[in-house]
């Protein structure tokens, strides 16, 4: 359940299970044990995780629970007292120990039952998530991730780059760098020098990006806070060494609401930096997320947010209405916004952003760009692809109307022929 960071946790658990000789099966009926990796970030995610646990219990009966919601074992056991065991996020060794308790290790010959060098992956073969750290040092009032995953812990840079290289050698053509706070990579270890391929490499976002850019694949940055260190990677994007794509969760634009959220920065400084980034790298694509209806948000605050959207002209935007999260400090803030006002503001927000997005995508009609094919619609003889501007599952797609002969993982040049608010259509370039 949940975000790509949880998906990577699941991949690690599955990889170790396969190393020990366990089989992964496609149905409840074939399974001797079910592991549910939960999300606990917002109320709807908690509800979905609890529902999935209930389904696994009903269909199989032997269920281990791990992940973010596992940090609140009492919540799980109140609804599902019959789960076998519960662990919190990134508790790989504990999960394996619980599996051993309830399903003894099979006889296993590692020379027969080989695990691929890149481990077990839940993504398509041509792209993969690369998690560089755990935890977060921020204390945003709407968020409980630090209480679940702890403070920032950066992975050794040599270990991260070794994993990236294994993925590339296995055929991965796009690495998606993820964490709770990608810009802060190495802060916890004071950017100490590590080693990779016998060479010293500093543990920092810039040095990591430089090393990844040498691997000859797309490198996409997610969960980036707008620290000064971000300015240093923009030239790499301008030079074509990284995808010109930044996923920065701004969350709001009103200084008062940002202060209530305990978020860094101001909209004025952000707009100035966006302008400078685009001067250096005109093709830069910016993705962000925002919360409307935060406690205390007035109509004036909301109008400031809409003005920011119009001025920033962000390429990809997600929006959420605020909801209380058990344990979040924002729950205690005064002046909650009524649900009907939240919904109205959400709709107004999306209307403004759709106008921005459609106008920007319309301007790409006629351009020839490189795309990465994700899937083929054989019935329509259409390839479903993404450009540098599109992250998998969260952004738009490029439909290649004459791409029936392509296959997933192909990189091809296409000419854009049409666009709407989110997606584009194209034909193969001559």
């Amino acid at each position: 359940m949940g975000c790509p960071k949880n998906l990577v946790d699941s991949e690690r658990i599955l990889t170790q299970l396969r190393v020990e000789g366990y089989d992964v099966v496609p149905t409840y009926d074939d399974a001797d044990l079910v592991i549910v990796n939960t999300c606990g970030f917002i109320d709807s995610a908690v509800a979905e995780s609890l529902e999935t646990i209930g389904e696994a219990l009903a269909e199989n009966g032997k269920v281990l629970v791990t992940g973010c919601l596992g940090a609140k074992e009492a919540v799980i056991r109140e609804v599902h007292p019959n789960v076998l065991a519960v662990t919190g996020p990134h508790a790989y060794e504990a999960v394996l120990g619980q599996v051993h308790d309830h399903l003894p290790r099979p006889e296993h010959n590692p020379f027969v039952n080989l695990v691929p060098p890149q481990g077990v992956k839940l993504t398509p073969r041509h792209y993969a998530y690369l998690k560089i750290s755990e935890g977060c040092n921020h204390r945003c009032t709407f968020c409980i991730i630090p209480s679940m995953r702890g403070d920032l812990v950066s992975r050794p840079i040599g270990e991260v780059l070794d994993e990236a290289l294994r993925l590339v050698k296995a055929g991965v053509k796009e690495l998606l760098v993820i964490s709770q706070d990608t810009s802060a990579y190495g802060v916890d270890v004071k950017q100490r020098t590590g080693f990779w391929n016998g060479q010293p490499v500093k543990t920092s976002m810039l040095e990591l990006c430089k090393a990844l850019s040498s691997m000859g694949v797309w490198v996409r940055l997610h969960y980036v806070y707008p620290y000064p260190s971000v300015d240093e990677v923009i030239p790499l994007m301008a030079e074509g060494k990284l995808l010109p794509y930044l996923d920065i969760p701004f969350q709001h634009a009103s200084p008062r609401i940002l202060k209530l959220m305990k978020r860094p920065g101001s909209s004025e400084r952000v707009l100035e930096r966006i302008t400078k980034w685009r001067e250096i790298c005109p093709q830069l694509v910016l993705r962000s997320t925002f919360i409307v209806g935060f406690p205390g948000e007035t109509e004036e605050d909301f109008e400031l947010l809409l003005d920011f959207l119009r001025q920033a002209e962000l390429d990809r935007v997600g929006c959420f209405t605020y909801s209380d999260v058990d344990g979040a400090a924002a729950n205690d803030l005064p002046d909650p916004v009524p649900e009907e006002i939240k919904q109205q503001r959400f709709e107004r927000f999306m209307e403004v952003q759709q106008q921005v997005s459609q106008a920007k995508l319309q301007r790409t009609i006629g351009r020839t760009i490189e795309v990465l094919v994700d899937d083929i619609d054989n019935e329509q003889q259409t390839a479903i692809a993404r450009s540098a501007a599109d992250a998998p599952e969260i952004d738009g797609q490029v439909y290649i109307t004459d791409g029936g002969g392509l296959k997933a993982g192909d990189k091809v040049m296409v000419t854009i022929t049409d666009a709407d608010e989110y997606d584009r259509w194209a034909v193969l370039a001559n």
Side-chain angles (χ1 to χ4, degrees), residues 222-234:
H222 285 278
Y223 309 108
V224 176
Y225 278 75
Y227 303 145
S229 59
V230 178
D231 299 343
E232 299 174 332
V233 304
I234 302 298

Side-chain angles (χ1 to χ4, degrees), residues 343-370:
Q343 185 61 31
Q344 290 171 12
R345 289 178 181 170
F346 170 81
E347 292 170 3
R348 290 165 60 194
F349 178 102
M350 293 308 300
E351 183 179 353
V352 169
Q353 180 54 34
Q354 284 168 357
Q355 293 170 359
V356 171
S357 177
Q358 185 166 26
K360 297 201 77 169
L361 291 180
Q362 287 287 322
R363 293 199 288 268
T364 68
I365 293 175
R367 293 182 188 172
T368 297
I369 61 173
E370 185 179 42

Side-chain angles (χ1 to χ4, degrees), residues 200-258:
V201 188
K202 184 184 289 188
T203 308
S204 71
M205 182 174 73
L206 177 61
E207 295 304 313
L208 174 67
C209 288
K210 286 180 178 178
L212 291 174
S213 71
S214 69
M215 296 186 184
V217 298
W218 281 7
V219 178
R220 189 183 301 275
L221 301 181
H222 285 278
Y223 309 108
V224 176
Y225 278 75
Y227 303 145
S229 59
V230 178
D231 299 343
E232 299 174 332
V233 304
I234 302 298
L236 296 179
M237 296 178 177
E239 295 165 15
K241 296 180 178 179
L242 299 176
L243 288 185
Y245 180 102
L246 281 176
D247 172 13
I248 304 178
F250 292 123
Q251 304 298 9
H252 215 281
S254 162
R256 195 177 68 84
I257 296 302
L258 287 170

Side-chain angles (χ1 to χ4, degrees), residues 3-5 7-9 11-12 15 117-132 155 160 162-179 212 215 217-223 243 372-374 386 390-393 409 411:
C3 65
K5 294 179 284 293
L7 182 140
V8 172
D9 291 346
E11 290 175 339
R12 291 181 180 177
T15 296
Q118 74 275 18
V120 176
K121 291 294 164 187
L122 298 174
T123 50
R125 184 172 180 266
H126 59 279
Y127 70 82
Y129 293 101
L130 181 68
K131 184 156 67 167
I132 63 173
R155 292 178 64 196
V160 173
D162 281 343
E163 180 182 343
L165 189 58
R166 288 195 300 271
L167 291 168
V168 171
K169 288 181 176 179
V172 166
K173 297 183 179 180
E174 178 181 12
L175 293 169
L176 299 107
V177 178
I178 60 170
S179 66
L212 291 174
M215 296 186 184
V217 298
W218 281 7
V219 178
R220 189 183 301 275
L221 301 181
H222 285 278
Y223 309 108
L243 288 185
L372 177 61
V373 176
D374 280 339
R386 293 178 293 106
D390 309 303
E393 298 185 346
K411 278 185 178 177

Side-chain angles (χ1 to χ4, degrees), residues 281-316:
C281 182
Q283 66 271 39
L284 179 65
V285 170
L286 292 172
R287 183 182 203 284
S288 191
T289 51
F290 295 87
I291 297 171
V292 297
F294 191 79
E297 182 189 64
T298 65
E299 181 63 21
E300 181 181 359
D301 294 319
F302 181 66
E303 287 293 344
L304 286 173
L305 176 56
L306 295 185
D307 288 342
F308 174 82
L309 276 186
R310 297 184 184 102
Q311 293 179 66
E313 290 194 318
L314 303 176
D315 302 84
R316 303 283 186 266

